[in-house]
Amino acid sequence: METFKSLLVILLSSVLVNNYVLSRFLGICPFLGVSKKLGQAVGMGISVTAVMLLASAITWPIQYLILDNLGLGYMQTIVFILVIAALVQMLEVMLKKFSPALHKALGVYLPLITTNCAVLGVAINNITDGYGFLESIVSSLGCGLGFLLAMVLFAGLRSRIDESEVPKQFRGLAVTLIAASFISLAFMGLAGIVDNLFV
């Protein structure tokens, strides 16, 4: 029961409190670039979640079974980037074959997952935080779901902004960044709630 509770805390914390986009400000490029349409935002969110999960499932054993045993811990970032790049290439091939419309809609942003600092940040933070394999997978799932939630919320907000009368000085990127900051502030208000749920 304690294990389940700790995994649930990790999951909810990753989604709501330690949201990589809204609290840690990682992965901002696809957050701003692909959140104009809900379909694209959902597709990107699911793609990033899949890459985060696979990356953590592969990088955790690489770190503990290969890099640490061979004294090559300093190679962590390079190795993790190579693993993530390979995963993104596999994802791109699969999307091209099974969902050409989504592949075309994501366009240039799909290869950007390779350089998405949120994906690399999750893989490295799982090691730094001392998570075991299962905890790393749950953390990655939570971070991916948090990314997806942020994308969907922001896509909805941007569609409302497009329909609204925005003062000339705030049109374009200015109102987009202001809206993002309001969502971020709302998520910062959730700090402490997850821990208090399980006291």
Side-chain angles (χ1 to χ4, degrees), residues 44-193:
M44 177 58 94
I46 291 171
S47 300
V48 168
T49 302
V51 172
M52 280 183 182
L53 275 169
L54 290 171
S56 290
I58 294 170
T59 57
W60 191 91
I62 287 174
Q63 177 69 40
Y64 288 108
L65 300 177
I66 299 172
L67 296 179
D68 286 351
N69 284 338
L70 297 175
L72 299 172
Y74 61 91
M75 297 286 291
Q76 179 190 61
T77 304
I78 295 169
V79 171
F80 285 13
I81 288 173
L82 291 173
V83 167
I84 292 166
L87 288 172
V88 171
Q89 289 303 310
M90 287 178 13
L91 181 68
E92 187 171 9
V93 168
M94 289 172 57
L95 281 178
K96 199 172 195 177
K97 183 173 184 176
F98 296 113
S99 183
L102 180 58
H103 180 267
K104 186 177 181 183
L106 292 176
V108 71
Y109 293 102
L110 189 58
L112 281 178
I113 295 175
T114 303
T115 57
N116 187 342
C117 54
V119 177
L120 180 61
V122 168
I124 290 175
N125 283 337
N126 285 338
I127 304 296
T128 305
D129 292 342
Y131 287 157
F133 182 75
L134 184 58
E135 293 169 326
S136 293
I137 297 299
V138 171
S139 172
S140 301
L141 176 63
C143 292
L145 292 175
F147 185 86
L148 175 62
L149 177 64
M151 293 288 288
V152 168
L153 287 174
F154 199 53
L157 189 59
R158 286 183 83 170
S159 69
R160 292 295 302 258
I161 290 171
D162 290 343
E163 297 168 0
S164 301
E165 190 72 30
V166 178
K168 185 178 179 182
Q169 297 83 353
F170 292 106
R171 289 185 190 147
L173 185 60
V175 73
T176 302
L177 292 175
I178 291 168
S181 67
F182 285 138
I183 293 177
S184 179
L185 284 171
F187 270 72
M188 290 174 78
L190 298 172
I193 289 179

